[in-house]
Structure formats: C-alpha cells, structure tokens
Amino acid sequence: MRNESMLAMILAGGRGTRLESLTRSIAKPAVYYGGKYRIIDFPLSNCANSGIDVVGVLTQYESILLNSYCAGGQKWGIDGKDSGVFILPPRETTAGFGVYRGTADAITQNIDFIDQYEPEYVLILSGDHIYKMDYSKMLAAHRKNEADVTIAVLEVPMKEASRFGIMNTDENNKIYEFQEKPAEPKSNLASMGVYIFNWQLLKRELLRDKDIETSEHDFGKNIIPKLLDDGKRLFAYQFRGYWKDVGTIDSLWEANMDLLGEEPVLNLHDPEWKIYTEDVNTSPQYVGKKATICNAYINQGAMIEGEVRNSVIYTNASVGEEAVVRDSVVMPDAVIGRGAKVTRAIIAPGVVIGDNEVIGDADSETILLVSNETRGVK
Amino acid sequence: MCNAVGIVNLRRDSIEGIGEYRPLGATSFMGRYRLVDFVLSNFSNSNINEINVFIKDKPRSLIDHIGEGRQYNINTKSGGIRLLGMENRLPNEAYNTDINAFTDNMRYITESKKDYVIIAPCNYIYTMNFEDLLAAHVESGAEVTVAYKAVEDAKDNFLGCECLSLNTKKDVIAFDYNRGNSHERNVSLETYVMKIDVFQKLVKEAKETSMFYRFQDILHDRVDHLEIKGYPFKGYVACVNSLQSYYNSSMWLKKPEIIRNFVDKKWPIYTSTSDSAPTVYGQDAIIEDSAIANGCIIKGTVINSVIGRAVTIEEGAVVKDCVVMAESYIGKGTHIEHAVIDKLVKVVHKTTIKSNSSEPLYIKKFDIV
C-alpha cells in the first residue's frame, strides 16, 4: 500500500433471500442494477475513487461468479503494482473446512491477509449497498477525532429507525449508546454498516471474540457493543447522500426508479465520481423509427422499437415494435416481444416475453419479478 | 495461434477537418468506437497477437486509446500491441511514407517467429477472419494475396480506393484507383498477406526505387513480376477516407440490420471503456432511428443521427441527420441538420445550422457556436 494506510474489506457473502430467484444462483452483491452495473460495483468504485489500493472481498454464498467478476481489480482500476482486489472465500486449514460464522468471523479468518499490508486502519464495507461515498473524508474525521472506531450513519425517518442499528451520540458525534433495531429509538442515526477500525485494536478484539461460544461473531451484535462497553472512542460520521440497501424486489425496483428524472435522486453521470463496471462489447443502443421514449435509462446494446416509459433498460435488452414497457426494469439480454405490455415488473436477465403477452399490473401494490425460474423455463 | 504478424499501416487518407486533430485510426466512429478498433478486433479475433500499429502524426489520442491493448483481448506477455513511430521524420511530407516507417522498424517485424505478415488499413471497416485469408494465401502458392470486394456502387462509393483487375484465375494483372468511372469494380481492401521475407524484400526494393515510394507503389510496379492473387471477400465493407464517406458510413452502419454484420457476440469489436453511465432520456425526448452511445443526457429531439458518448441534447433542441461526437453540448432551442459535430463542441446560442449542399457540414473540435 502506498500513502493512506487503510485497507478495505468488503463483506460480500450475503444471500439476499428476499430477492427471490434473482439470487438463486448468484450472491446478492452480484445482482444487476442500473442498466449496466452489479451492486458490488458501488463499494468497489467508492474504494477506487477514495484512493484505497487494497481491497479484500469476502465471499461465501454462490461465490463463483463474484469471484471471477472481482478478481484482479482491473474493472475498477485497482490494479497497480501494490494494489489489488483480492477474493477471500473461506479456506481449508489444518482445523478443517472453514465457514464464515458471522461478519466479524470473516475478518478474523483473514487476519493474516490484512497483516501482510500492515495497515493502520481497516475499512469494513458491505457489498450490497448502493451509494456514492468518499471514504477518505471519513478517515480524515476518524483521525481528527482520534477515534478507535468510526461508524458511518445516515439520518432515516424516525418511524423507520427501529429497522436499523441506531447510534446515540453526543454533540461531538461521540457514540455513547448503540441500539440494535430498538422498539423505541432515541435517535434516527442509522448505521450504514461502514466502519473504520484502528487495526491493532480490532485484531485484539476479534481474537478475543473468536473463542466465545455465545458470540454470533457479528460486528453489530458483538464487536461494536463490546468496544463501547470497554470505553473505547467510537464516533459517528454522518453521511449525507443517497444510500440504499436493496433487500427486496420492491426496493431493487425503487432503486432503479431513483435513477430517472431531470434531477435524479441518484446521479451516476458525475464525471468526478464514476461507477466502474465490467465493459461489455456491444454496439451502441439503437432507437427505431416508431419508438417512443419518455423518462428512461437505457444502456448500450439495447434495441428499442416500441414504447418505453419510466423504465430502466439494461445491456442488450430489446423492446419490440408496439410493445409498451412502463414503470419497469428490463435486465440484460431480456426480450420484450412485439405488442407485449410490461407494467410494474422486473424482467430478469435473458427472459423472453412473447409477442402480445401482458405482464404486471399498473394497480398492483408490489412489483412482479419475472424470471426464467418463475416461468418454468430452463 | 495464427502464423502471422499484424501490421496496421499508415494512411495517406485524411478526413477533412476531423483529421486535423487525430490520426485517422483514432477517429471516433458509431458513437463508441474508434476506427482502429475494427482492424485490431479482426486481428485479435483471428488469433493474431503480435500487432504493430504505425503512427505518424499527433499520436496522443491513439496512444491513449490503445494503451497496453488489453481491451482487445490480447494477452500482454505472450503477445502485444506495439505502437511504432517514424524514427526519421523529415519536414517534406513526401518522405514520410509507410516504406520509411517500415524500414525504421524492420527489425521489430523480422524478429518475430511468425512466417507471414498481414498488413491492413485502419479505415476499412469489415470483419474478416484473417486465418481464412492466410490459409487461402498459403494454399494458392502466391507471393502476395490482396483481399478485395466486388462492388456495384463504385461510382458513388469507395472513391480513391485501390482497385484490382483480375484474370479468371484471380491473378491480379493490374492495379489502379477508383475514379468513380464505373459501377462495378473490384475494390481492394488494401489488406495484404505475404511471407515476412517477401515483405522485407519489397520494402527494400521500394526504398531503392524512390524515396517517395509507398508500399502500394512497389506492389503496383511489380504486378507483372510478382505472383499476386486476389482474395474475394463476401462480407460487408465500408471505407472511411473523406468527410462524405465518414458521414455515409456512419448513417449506413447505424441501421440495426447492417451493424449486426459488424458487431456480433462471436466477433466482438473491442474498444476502451469510458465508464459512462447508461443514457438518460427526459420527459419530452423524441428519438427516431438513431444510434446512441452511453453517458448521454437527451431531453430534445434526435432523428436519424449517430450520437457519441456523454453528449447532452437540451430540451427543444433538434438534431437531425447528424453525427455528433463525444462530450458535445447542444443547447436549448438549436436546430442542426446534416452536420458532423466534432468532440467537445458547445452549441449554446439559438442557432439553426443546416448544410445547403449534399456535403455534411463540419463543426470543429472545441468550437463554441
């Protein structure tokens, strides 16, 4: 590592069960988002843009795709001589086959990896959040506060606060209390699952926690409360901006809709903070003679002959003549046949919607996921 | 691996206006490519991984674009793309021929363990498997093989291109250039295959004949003494050697039924990514029959056009029958027809720009209109 002595570890083992068939055979961080990205492109691009040189990616559930996707780090330009993105699945040791028993345990099992770089700080991230954040500013606050731990927090609506880990802080942002999903929250500062730890302190704590049988080896449940009890200096760092944990089909759809509009809630066109991803070789998108496009987000390789309204169309997807796609998300290589109507739906990668088929309903409360699995297509 | 070294040759051709800013190969094409991507992808897809790209002037944009060449799917240790300059440039342009560039760099070509060389231009757009071309060359026993395309529109198209006269055995009996005198011509793709020692010999002979000779000149001179075969190519071809042909080719390739003959999952055209987000279309956008690259913000009207990366078209603006290159800005209330707009142009004043002839209008890089 070069200047800033901070290494990042991305927890990317999440199953994302509530994303249904989208995560049947890939981990949640590998799910497609926003026309061309996978969710993990966001923390990785944030690392690249924050000047972090070494990133470990901790994979576990359905890790094959994620492992090959992240390997090398070239896609995000984290590929200099002393840099890299390193895939860290559980390994076999003399004690047997490893499994990551919790978020903290995943780091414990890779203490040797981190020690190679002798970092002063370790940044812990989640691989399944969509946001743009400069971690170097968070590190500056961590240093200024002479903190042991800094936790990024986001203001959430008070009525939703009980879904999150809530930080109660004093006027200097010092955390005096942490409540995991409190029934009656005292504040609305929710943890984003983004932590900076002084490495030596975290390492001691992890080694201590590792052998405690009652521990779930989890940052939120075990490590953070223990450090707070021990009187360590924990600070909140308030993040202002877009942040989304896409846990469900509805929230994945919402996150896509957040890209639309004149002043989108999430703007990915900022040349100062690009989100990097795999470069797919396709021709430019083509919009045909009879097409109508209104308020849409469309990626290269897409072929639009019909009508697209309030929708996100991914790489190489196509919309046939007289088809209408409204309030929907059409993932890579999906085909919307001639005259088909798709409303309030997510069409999974590679799904073929037949001519004149009608999918979804403008009045439905929830978003319909259409995948080859839901359609019984192999 | 294919038993050939690839050479992307220097060109005399230059596109009016556009050529002031970059070598021909670095010219942006179809919104997201550069011209050189097509020939480099042909080499890569044909399993040729020793590629030499010759550059004469203004190398910056081409060096930036090609870089290490990893994006072309070439493993950089077992092969690579080498950018070769002209070592001994002279103030008189007539001296700065491909022959002189080859002579300056001959050792880097002859040191290869491959037996053959394939020389191809950067401004002919086609997708050809060079392994088939090489196999046909070896099979025929000819000393040189030239790929050509029999066309029926040579009066309007391929003007200035090398043409072949062939006998029934496909031997080349004469070369000339297309002056637009007849419809049917065998248009040379200026793509040649030969043994490296034949190449070396021809370069030497050219140099000895005239300091102003180019590789084509020596081939044309030797047509009676060398065994030169024509290799008929049946696929689609576009040649970009003028502003008009650049414009026409862009409009032709824009059609989905055409571009799909060039860009295909099995024959990808590689380029370097600019990491742009998908293109965003506004509430009142009207788009018809257009090819659009990523990273654009389109709120106005785009009809029958090719739009490059990260172009902004504001509401109320009309862009019709145009080619717009990357990062240009078309402001509110402007109306542009039949123009080629170079990179980073800002059309900010309420203007109407229309070409009044058959020629497209060209707007220079960085211009504010």
Side-chain angles (χ1 to χ4, degrees):
Chain A
M1 287 193 303
R2 288 174 291 215
N3 32 37
E4 301 277 352
S5 184
M6 182 163 79
L7 169 153
M9 298 292 270
I10 300 181
L11 300 160
R15 288 185 69 140
T17 320
R18 288 173 302 153
L19 288 174
E20 302 168 26
S21 48
L22 284 180
T23 48
R24 197 74 73 226
S25 58
I26 59 172
K28 184 173 159 194
V31 167
Y32 284 113
Y33 168 72
K36 68 183 294 198
Y37 307 97
R38 293 182 189 271
I39 295 171
I40 199 167
D41 289 328
F42 287 81
L44 281 166
S45 300
N46 287 341
C47 285
N49 291 329
S50 303
I52 294 171
D53 298 327
V54 177
V55 183
V57 178
L58 300 138
T59 62
Q60 180 151 294
Y61 172 74
E62 284 293 353
S63 57
I64 296 294
L65 189 147
L66 205 49
N67 291 355
S68 62
Y69 184 74
C70 298
Q74 256 180 36
K75 297 182 182 82
W76 308 276
I78 306 177
D79 57 351
K81 200 93 181 155
D82 299 322
S83 305
V85 174
F86 300 90
I87 312 301
L88 305 166
R91 47 185 139 161
E92 188 180 2
T93 63
T94 48
F97 273 114
V99 170
Y100 294 150
R101 298 173 294 169
T103 51
D105 187 50
I107 306 298
T108 310
Q109 293 194 35
N110 290 288
I111 286 174
D112 55 349
F113 167 79
I114 297 173
D115 272 342
Q116 288 177 73
Y117 294 95
E118 301 176 358
E120 205 170 328
Y121 310 102
V122 170
L123 171 69
I124 307 289
L125 302 171
S126 162
D128 42 18
H129 297 159
I130 295 166
Y131 64 118
K132 299 193 293 182
M133 181 174 180
D134 188 343
Y135 305 127
S136 69
K137 287 186 182 156
M138 181 173 168
L139 178 61
H142 179 86
R143 282 180 168 146
K144 186 163 161 271
N145 291 330
E146 295 177 350
D148 294 311
V149 184
T150 299
I151 301 174
V153 295
L154 184 80
E155 270 189 33
V156 295
M158 208 63 194
K159 63 178 170 37
E160 285 180 33
S162 51
R163 289 173 42 218
F164 294 91
I166 295 296
M167 303 294 158
N168 298 318
T169 58
D170 68 14
E171 67 282 6
N172 298 319
N173 298 318
K174 190 161 186 285
I175 298 166
Y176 64 85
E177 190 183 17
F178 169 76
Q179 299 171 290
E180 179 72 15
K181 297 183 179 159
E184 286 179 26
K186 290 181 200 160
S187 94
N188 63 342
L189 294 179
S191 166
M192 296 163 60
V194 172
Y195 312 104
I196 292 176
F197 288 94
N198 290 352
W199 171 234
Q200 290 307 326
L201 170 79
L202 175 64
K203 185 172 150 184
R204 273 199 305 280
E205 189 49 38
L206 291 173
L207 291 172
R208 196 193 59 78
D209 176 78
K210 155 169 101 89
D211 299 320
I212 299 175
E213 278 188 19
T214 52
S215 173
E216 291 179 46
H217 314 291
D218 183 272
F219 279 106
K221 288 175 190 153
N222 309 106
I223 306 295
I224 301 290
K226 178 70 171 61
L227 290 171
L228 205 53
D229 279 354
D230 288 355
K232 298 295 177 195
R233 292 173 64 80
L234 276 69
F235 281 77
Y237 172 80
Q238 195 171 340
F239 170 75
R240 290 181 178 84
Y242 183 91
W243 179 84
K244 192 128 190 151
D245 179 359
V246 284
T248 61
I249 293 297
D250 283 1
S251 67
L252 178 62
W253 177 86
E254 271 166 31
N256 277 281
M257 295 300 125
D258 288 341
L259 297 165
L260 298 173
E262 301 270 301
E263 300 282 331
V265 198
L266 175 59
N267 176 11
L268 302 181
H269 280 76
D270 178 5
E272 301 297 310
W273 204 271
K274 283 189 174 183
I275 303 302
Y276 309 108
T277 185
E278 181 172 32
D279 184 37
V280 181
N281 296 297
T282 66
S283 52
Q285 54 191 279
Y286 175 78
V287 181
K289 286 197 174 87
K290 297 176 188 161
T292 304
I293 297 182
C294 174
N295 205 21
Y297 211 68
I298 304 180
N299 196 39
Q300 73 189 41
M303 168 87 73
I304 313 295
E305 305 271 12
E307 189 172 328
V308 175
R309 287 183 190 274
N310 300 320
S311 296
V312 180
I313 312 290
Y314 289 52
T315 323
N316 286 341
S318 65
V319 177
E321 277 184 33
E322 287 164 43
V324 181
V325 175
R326 207 181 259 273
D327 304 322
S328 292
V329 172
V330 180
M331 291 196 163
D333 302 307
V335 177
I336 312 298
R338 282 178 75 104
K341 304 267 178 289
V342 175
T343 314
R344 285 177 67 77
I346 292 179
I347 310 298
V351 170
V352 178
I353 304 295
D355 292 354
N356 303 312
E357 206 175 323
V358 178
I359 300 281
D361 174 359
D363 301 321
S364 74
E365 235 167 73
T366 56
I367 298 302
L368 179 69
L369 171 68
V370 182
S371 68
N372 283 333
E373 190 180 307
T374 65
R375 287 162 77 87
V377 177
K378 285 215 170 151
Chain B
M1 271 303 149
C2 183
N3 186 16
V5 177
I7 288 180
V8 179
N9 200 2
L10 287 176
R11 303 298 303 168
R12 267 189 318 176
D13 307 319
S14 173
I15 307 172
E16 303 94 293
I18 296 172
E20 298 291 309
Y21 300 97
R22 66 243 337 144
L24 191 59
T27 304
S28 122
F29 191 59
M30 299 318 295
R32 63 182 306 262
Y33 303 105
R34 309 263 187 157
L35 287 177
V36 76
D37 293 334
F38 290 84
V39 61
L40 291 177
S41 299
N42 280 336
F43 280 133
S44 169
N45 292 333
S46 304
N47 293 315
I48 293 171
N49 74 347
E50 290 175 38
I51 302 168
N52 301 284
V53 179
F54 281 87
I55 315 184
K56 189 163 66 173
D57 297 311
K58 305 184 184 70
R60 197 266 318 152
S61 56
L62 202 58
I63 291 171
D64 274 359
H65 181 70
I66 295 176
E68 209 182 354
R70 272 201 282 225
Q71 70 272 30
Y72 297 104
N73 195 20
I74 288 166
N75 288 332
T76 53
K77 296 279 180 185
S78 64
I81 297 183
R82 195 153 43 188
L83 299 167
L84 295 172
M86 190 168 268
E87 304 292 321
N88 302 299
R89 283 208 58 175
L90 290 166
N92 180 351
E93 250 328 284
Y95 283 102
N96 300 324
T97 60
D98 56 356
I99 291 295
N100 284 325
F102 292 154
T103 308
D104 290 346
N105 295 287
M106 188 55 82
R107 59 174 302 175
Y108 304 110
I109 295 160
T110 54
E111 75 185 5
S112 170
K113 293 191 174 66
K114 308 287 186 197
D115 295 319
Y116 295 89
V117 59
I118 294 175
I119 305 172
C122 61
N123 61 330
Y124 283 64
I125 312 298
Y126 57 77
T127 55
M128 188 193 300
N129 190 336
F130 289 140
E131 289 186 297
D132 296 343
L133 172 67
L134 178 61
H137 172 74
V138 174
E139 165 90 34
S140 74
E143 287 169 283
V144 177
T145 297
V146 189
Y148 73 94
K149 164 95 180 165
V151 305
E152 291 166 359
D153 59 347
K155 267 201 167 171
D156 311 309
N157 226 328
F158 301 105
L159 296 172
C161 294
E162 185 182 72
C163 286
L164 312 178
S165 302
L166 300 162
N167 67 15
T168 51
K169 290 188 287 178
K170 305 276 186 215
D171 296 314
V172 179
I173 50 175
F175 288 96
D176 67 340
Y177 292 96
N178 179 20
R179 305 277 171 235
N181 297 329
S182 56
H183 291 294
E184 292 185 16
R185 295 302 314 261
N186 293 321
V187 173
S188 158
L189 303 183
E190 306 194 16
T191 300
Y192 314 101
V193 51
M194 68 208 77
K195 280 211 157 131
I196 287 180
D197 52 13
V198 172
F199 170 71
Q200 198 177 4
K201 189 182 95 193
L202 286 168
V203 169
K204 192 160 165 279
E205 287 175 14
K207 185 110 183 160
E208 285 162 2
T209 311
S210 164
M211 287 309 287
F212 294 168
Y213 253 36
R214 292 172 312 112
F215 190 74
Q216 281 174 311
D217 296 324
I218 193 72
L219 270 189
H220 298 189
D221 266 17
R222 295 288 185 270
V223 70
D224 295 331
H225 308 287
L226 271 175
E227 204 182 327
I228 308 178
K229 282 270 187 211
Y231 173 79
F233 177 67
K234 307 286 188 208
Y236 287 73
V237 181
C239 172
V240 176
N241 59 1
S242 63
L243 187 63
Q244 186 73 56
S245 61
Y246 174 76
Y247 179 83
N248 293 350
S249 305
S250 301
M251 290 298 161
W252 184 56
L253 259 83
K254 169 171 72 64
K255 299 176 191 151
E257 69 273 19
I258 303 298
I259 199 163
R260 107 172 29 116
N261 296 288
F262 291 90
V263 183
D264 178 297
K265 270 195 175 159
K266 293 188 196 112
W267 200 270
I269 302 302
Y270 305 104
T271 188
S272 68
T273 177
S274 67
D275 303 298
S276 339
T279 282
V280 56
Y281 295 90
Q283 205 71 43
D284 303 312
I286 298 172
I287 322 291
E288 272 176 38
D289 198 13
S290 296
I292 298 170
N294 266 4
C296 298
I297 297 173
I298 300 187
K299 299 177 186 169
T301 299
V302 179
I303 296 169
N304 189 37
S305 295
V306 176
I307 309 293
R309 280 166 166 166
V311 167
T312 301
I313 297 177
E314 290 287 4
E315 51 207 273
V318 177
V319 174
K320 189 165 178 278
D321 307 327
C322 287
V323 176
V324 183
M325 293 192 207
E327 294 174 70
S328 281
Y329 175 88
I330 315 293
K332 283 182 188 173
T334 56
H335 188 111
I336 307 174
E337 276 186 40
H338 212 71
V340 173
I341 298 174
D342 208 318
K343 283 178 81 166
L344 294 156
V345 167
K346 281 192 167 66
V347 183
V348 286
H349 302 291
K350 282 194 180 175
T351 37
T352 298
I353 301 168
K354 276 190 194 177
S355 169
N356 47 13
S357 66
S358 62
E359 287 249 324
L361 203 87
Y362 171 70
I363 298 177
K364 299 204 318 268
K365 191 174 175 181
F366 304 123
D367 269 7
I368 296 174
V369 180

